[in-house]
Amino acid sequence: MPCQNFDYCFNNNSDELRGDSRKKIAIVGGGNWGSAIACVVGKTVKAQDDVFQPIVSMWCRDSRKPGDTTPSIAETINATHENPKYLPGRRIPSNVIATSSLLDACESAHILILVVPHQGIPQICSELRGNLRDGAHAVSLTKGISSTSENDVIRMQLISEDIEKALGVECSVLMGANLAGEVADGKFCEATIGCKSLENGEELKMLFNTPNFRIRVTTDYEAVELCGALKNIVACAAGFADGLGWAYNVKSAIIRLGLLETKKFVEHFYPSSHHTYFESCGVADLITTCYGGRNRKVAEAFIKSDKPLHIVEQELLKGQSAQGPPTAQDVFEMLEIHEITEKFPIFTSVHKIFTGEHGEQELYDSLRNHPEYD
Amino acid sequence: MPCQNFDYCFNNNSDELRGDSRKKIAIVGGGNWGSAIACVVGKTVKAQDDVFQPIVSMWCRDSRKPGDTTPSIAETINATHENPKYLPGRRIPSNVIATSSLLDACESAHILILVVPHQGIPQICSELRGNLRDGAHAVSLTKGISSTSENDVIRMQLISEDIEKALGVECSVLMGANLAGEVADGKFCEATIGCKSLENGEELKMLFNTPNFRIRVTTDYEAVELCGALKNIVACAAGFADGLGWAYNVKSAIIRLGLLETKKFVEHFYPSSHHTYFESCGVADLITTCYGGRNRKVAEAFIKSDKPLHIVEQELLKGQSAQGPPTAQDVFEMLEIHEITEKFPIFTSVHKIFTGEHGEQELYDSLRNHPEYD
């Protein structure tokens, strides 16, 4: 490992041995959003080196095939301070040290920033289980919904709850109107932290907040996380509308009705949620995603072509995936179990367009005959 | 109402004399939005000719200069069923009969649809005063805010309240995510009616609602009207952001913070309002206007050029005007009187950019230092 900070960065508990009480940060995920958040956190820890250790570790999956002798993503980031595959042209601060070893990145961290696709969470949690520092806590930037089965009854579960159960640490969430490239460029934006304990929430605010990345904290974590997940389904509907040549008024109706389906979903599964739809994670993230996000883009291309989804994703996302289609499927299954699909016509139609069961007319009807007009 | 002259009485009651109890509709205004709403209403009255008289009258201002022998807008619409100046390429139904005479259009109407710029309201109300049928009611599609002075105290007034006071008739409002061209084309969209009496609100819903123009009714008329007015200020901020090359995340933050300033404004001046920001007039109209509306377009062009506002408007709007700049001025004056400008940094900055007192940096700071982050 050509990293001079290696010992400092990865030796578990070395900071206590040196009497260093500052918090150590690990980023789990080296994709587009993980690299962008590294640009933020690399700077904030340096600016607050009385509170945070100035070296941030960052785990990047080594996706090379056996025999591939090109550098891993982690090696490339450490050598060039750039992630040319997922965030080309943006400089990752040199105090962010990447590694392909998940344990090396995480086992001495006080705060874990989880920013991997939903599908990767179980494997990561299984590797980390029992290997974290006492008192560590996590924040999830991952979008999606999960489920759990008890006595043959399948019930809704948040990804942050999956993480808490698997790792035994408290897990907050960070969601917001945050297109990764713009965040990496230091352009102004906002985000919302949903936390269980305000103590951890405020610590996370210190970690992420900058004059150009404005953080608000709420304990309404269920709504924050579900806004982040469900907006990707609405963005697929917006992308279909764009691909079909529909207009501004229609797209605004999709965003509004999609927000109301999100609200209804949260109210159904988490009736105690006190609703934070006016936060960045709510209306703002929805707008950004429906106009500038990857799910919109993939959905637009999908409905305009005869290609299967995975081909469209390959062509547009360079190996990353859009979370909208799998989230739409997970949500549809949950709605079916609870026999409430008819209350969520946009969520339902998005899923069925990806499976080929619905076409343009059904999506249009899901708007015109929406239960909001009853 | 005492009968002043035979013609008036005859005209006013001619349908009753014929035993016709159906409601007669007049549209006051032949601009872009007036012509589009004529496309909707022309069809709905025909489809419900048991309830509404099938002929809709439409007043169009005769803006010809003395000596101009070209046809008036009203003559052109009656001859061609099109308004080539303000809504070219869309067919206005042939049962919409235009006239340059305001009294001819309105005096026998049961429902007046007022769709003229704010500046035109006083003159129109003064001409119509005392010349309306008993039991008539109005619906305003006009955007802006007004004020009234009592014992030297200036206080906030809605345009619908101006109309009610001037005409002595109940005035509802219709606002929503409704770009005129798309409405005229029959593309799907939504709108919100804010009414004082649900009886009139439901009658207006019958008049406007179609499978592709979906209406919801609420009695929260203050919030509905103010959402319609204030969104044009937010759209100017969005246009400035576009002109300055800012990004999706910033624009979403502008829309979210602008919605919160709108909410705060309504709460300050109408504390009993029960808030309808999730209706089409709220979040949806804001999004449409910030992406596809004329105020966004004018503001973008204004900040990119050295031209004065009226030149930019002339170049882009063919003689119509954007309501954002005068609304921003009216709102700023009201905020100053109430000494609350600092709670509304975006509204304030938009006004000051149009007057030349603010530039890019002040607008940016109005976001970064927004009181929502306190």
Side-chain angles (χ1 to χ4, degrees):
Chain A
M1 165 84 58
C3 169
Q4 58 190 20
N5 289 310
F6 179 75
D7 284 343
Y8 183 76
C9 187
F10 298 123
N11 276 356
N12 199 12
N13 298 325
S14 60
D15 30 306
E16 269 83 2
L17 293 176
R18 291 195 311 274
D20 189 347
S21 64
R22 299 173 303 171
K23 299 295 174 80
K24 185 168 178 186
I25 313 302
I27 299 171
V28 179
N32 180 243
W33 189 208
S35 303
I37 212 69
C39 295
V40 174
V41 168
K43 287 179 195 151
T44 57
V45 296
K46 225 171 167 179
Q48 301 173 90
D49 61 4
D50 53 329
V51 180
F52 299 110
Q53 292 185 31
I55 298 296
V56 172
S57 59
M58 177 179 184
W59 172 72
C60 302
R61 185 186 299 281
D62 186 352
S63 52
R64 291 174 299 177
K65 300 216 166 81
D68 184 348
T69 55
T70 58
S72 66
I73 290 183
E75 286 164 345
T76 303
I77 289 175
N78 291 335
T80 66
H81 305 298
E82 191 184 326
N83 185 339
K85 187 167 182 190
Y86 295 127
L87 193 68
R90 273 80 170 199
R91 192 176 188 283
I92 295 173
S94 56
N95 59 322
V96 175
I97 308 296
T99 169
S100 301
S101 162
L102 185 62
L103 283 188
D104 281 353
C106 299
E107 61 189 353
S108 63
H110 298 84
I111 301 177
L112 284 94
I113 303 170
L114 289 150
V115 51
V116 292
H118 181 190
Q119 299 84 334
I121 292 285
Q123 173 67 26
I124 285 166
C125 286
S126 136
E127 275 191 58
L128 290 180
R129 188 184 182 88
N131 291 311
L132 296 181
R133 162 198 291 276
D134 283 350
H137 63 101
V139 55
S140 165
L141 281 58
T142 297
K143 278 88 179 173
I145 72 157
S146 187
S147 61
T148 180
S149 177
E150 276 170 27
N151 305 323
D152 283 342
V153 177
I154 294 173
R155 67 170 197 84
M156 172 73 205
Q157 186 157 291
L158 301 171
I159 292 176
S160 62
E161 291 171 333
D162 285 349
I163 295 168
E164 292 196 332
K165 285 184 182 175
L167 299 184
V169 302
E170 186 174 300
C171 184
S172 308
V173 293
L174 181 144
M175 308 278 154
N178 306 138
L179 295 181
E182 299 179 13
V183 172
D185 289 340
K187 291 184 176 168
F188 177 78
C189 67
E190 315 173 294
T192 314
I193 285 172
C195 59
K196 277 116 197 169
S197 74
L198 275 175
E199 187 189 345
N200 284 345
E202 290 300 328
E203 186 170 71
L204 291 169
K205 181 175 178 177
M206 283 181 75
L207 177 60
F208 289 108
N209 194 58
T210 78
N212 276 346
F213 190 60
R214 294 297 248 152
I215 305 289
R216 279 174 51 87
V217 176
T218 166
T219 53
D220 193 12
Y221 63 92
E222 301 102 330
V224 176
E225 182 164 349
L226 285 173
C227 279
L230 301 176
K231 61 116 194 272
N232 285 331
I233 308 179
V234 185
C236 289
F240 294 147
D242 287 344
L244 294 165
W246 296 353
Y248 285 112
N249 295 345
V250 186
K251 203 161 157 180
S252 292
I254 287 172
I255 294 174
R256 182 182 89 84
L257 296 169
L259 186 63
L260 290 174
E261 289 192 20
T262 301
K263 189 165 168 282
K264 206 185 293 169
F265 190 92
V266 174
E267 283 165 359
H268 185 90
F269 291 102
Y270 297 93
S272 68
S273 160
H274 40 284
H275 314 314
T276 52
Y277 307 100
F278 290 123
E279 297 293 339
S280 179
C281 64
V283 60
D285 193 8
L286 193 55
I287 298 168
T288 283
T289 310
C290 286
Y291 273 93
R294 67 167 74 162
N295 284 281
R296 190 213 66 79
K297 196 168 155 186
V298 163
E300 180 184 35
F302 176 79
I303 209 155
K304 285 169 82 173
S305 79
D306 294 327
K307 297 173 186 167
L309 181 61
H310 72 276
I311 301 292
V312 173
E313 287 185 324
Q314 264 172 27
E315 289 175 358
L316 292 177
L317 303 182
K318 302 180 202 163
Q320 294 214 312
S321 61
Q323 286 298 314
T327 305
Q329 175 166 344
D330 291 342
V331 163
F332 178 73
E333 287 169 7
M334 194 57 66
L335 297 175
E336 275 213 309
I337 289 167
H338 288 258
E339 298 179 346
I340 48 172
T341 53
E342 79 287 350
K343 291 184 180 172
F344 299 85
I346 297 177
F347 289 176
T348 298
S349 197
V350 166
H351 168 64
K352 291 195 169 180
I353 286 176
F354 281 122
T355 62
E357 295 162 84
H358 273 193
E360 173 176 356
Q361 190 58 49
E362 286 88 350
L363 180 63
Y364 204 70
D365 289 343
S366 79
L367 305 176
R368 301 205 308 174
N369 305 326
H370 201 279
E372 284 301 318
Y373 304 125
D374 292 345
Chain B
M1 182 180 295
C3 183
Q4 300 291 320
N5 62 62
F6 176 76
D7 281 339
Y8 170 73
C9 276
F10 179 77
N11 187 29
N12 201 17
N13 296 314
S14 58
D15 20 294
E16 272 83 0
L17 291 177
R18 291 196 312 272
D20 189 347
S21 63
R22 298 173 304 171
K23 300 294 174 78
K24 185 167 177 185
I25 312 302
I27 298 171
V28 180
N32 179 242
W33 188 208
S35 303
I37 212 68
C39 295
V40 174
V41 168
K43 287 178 196 151
T44 57
V45 296
K46 226 170 166 179
Q48 302 172 91
D49 60 5
D50 54 330
V51 181
F52 299 111
Q53 292 185 32
I55 298 296
V56 172
S57 58
M58 177 180 184
W59 172 72
C60 302
R61 184 186 299 283
D62 185 353
S63 53
R64 291 175 299 177
K65 299 216 167 82
D68 184 347
T69 56
T70 57
S72 67
I73 290 183
E75 287 164 344
T76 303
I77 289 175
N78 291 335
T80 66
H81 305 297
E82 189 183 328
N83 185 339
K85 186 167 181 190
Y86 295 129
L87 193 68
R90 273 80 171 201
R91 193 176 187 283
I92 295 173
S94 56
N95 58 322
V96 175
I97 309 293
T99 169
S100 302
S101 163
L102 185 62
L103 283 188
D104 281 354
C106 298
E107 60 188 355
S108 62
H110 298 84
I111 300 177
L112 285 94
I113 303 170
L114 290 150
V115 51
V116 292
H118 181 190
Q119 299 84 334
I121 292 285
Q123 174 66 25
I124 284 166
C125 286
S126 136
E127 276 191 58
L128 290 179
R129 188 183 180 88
N131 292 311
L132 297 181
R133 161 198 290 276
D134 282 351
H137 64 101
V139 55
S140 165
L141 280 59
T142 296
K143 277 88 179 175
I145 72 158
S146 187
S147 61
T148 181
S149 176
E150 276 169 28
N151 305 323
D152 285 341
V153 178
I154 294 173
R155 68 169 196 84
M156 173 73 205
Q157 186 157 291
L158 300 171
I159 292 176
S160 63
E161 291 171 334
D162 285 350
I163 294 167
E164 293 197 331
K165 286 185 182 174
L167 299 184
V169 303
E170 186 174 299
C171 184
S172 308
V173 292
L174 181 144
M175 308 279 154
N178 306 138
L179 295 181
E182 298 179 12
V183 172
D185 289 340
K187 291 184 175 168
F188 177 79
C189 67
E190 316 171 295
T192 315
I193 286 173
C195 60
K196 277 115 198 169
S197 75
L198 274 175
E199 187 189 346
N200 285 345
E202 290 301 326
E203 186 171 71
L204 291 170
K205 181 175 178 177
M206 282 182 74
L207 177 59
F208 289 108
N209 194 57
T210 78
N212 276 345
F213 190 59
R214 294 296 249 154
I215 305 288
R216 280 173 52 88
V217 176
T218 166
T219 54
D220 193 12
Y221 63 92
E222 300 102 331
V224 175
E225 182 165 348
L226 286 173
C227 280
L230 300 176
K231 61 118 193 268
N232 285 330
I233 309 179
V234 185
C236 289
F240 295 147
D242 286 344
L244 294 165
W246 296 352
Y248 284 111
N249 294 346
V250 186
K251 204 162 158 179
S252 292
I254 287 172
I255 295 174
R256 182 182 90 84
L257 296 169
L259 186 62
L260 291 174
E261 289 192 20
T262 301
K263 189 165 169 281
K264 206 185 292 170
F265 190 92
V266 175
E267 284 165 0
H268 184 91
F269 291 102
Y270 298 94
S272 68
S273 160
H274 39 285
H275 315 314
T276 52
Y277 307 99
F278 290 122
E279 297 293 339
S280 179
C281 65
V283 59
D285 194 7
L286 192 55
I287 297 167
T288 283
T289 309
C290 286
Y291 273 94
R294 67 168 74 162
N295 284 281
R296 189 214 66 79
K297 196 169 156 185
V298 164
E300 180 184 34
F302 176 78
I303 210 156
K304 285 169 82 173
S305 79
D306 294 327
K307 296 174 187 166
L309 181 61
H310 71 277
I311 301 291
V312 173
E313 287 185 323
Q314 264 172 27
E315 289 175 357
L316 292 178
L317 303 182
K318 301 180 202 164
Q320 294 214 312
S321 61
Q323 287 298 314
T327 305
Q329 176 166 341
D330 292 342
V331 163
F332 178 72
E333 286 169 8
M334 193 57 66
L335 297 176
E336 276 213 309
I337 290 166
H338 288 258
E339 299 180 343
I340 48 174
T341 53
E342 78 288 350
K343 290 184 179 172
F344 299 85
I346 297 177
F347 288 175
T348 298
S349 196
V350 165
H351 169 63
K352 292 195 169 179
I353 286 175
F354 282 122
T355 62
E357 296 161 84
H358 273 192
E360 174 175 356
Q361 191 58 48
E362 286 89 350
L363 181 63
Y364 205 70
D365 289 342
S366 79
L367 305 175
R368 299 206 308 174
N369 306 325
H370 201 280
E372 284 299 319
Y373 304 125
D374 292 345

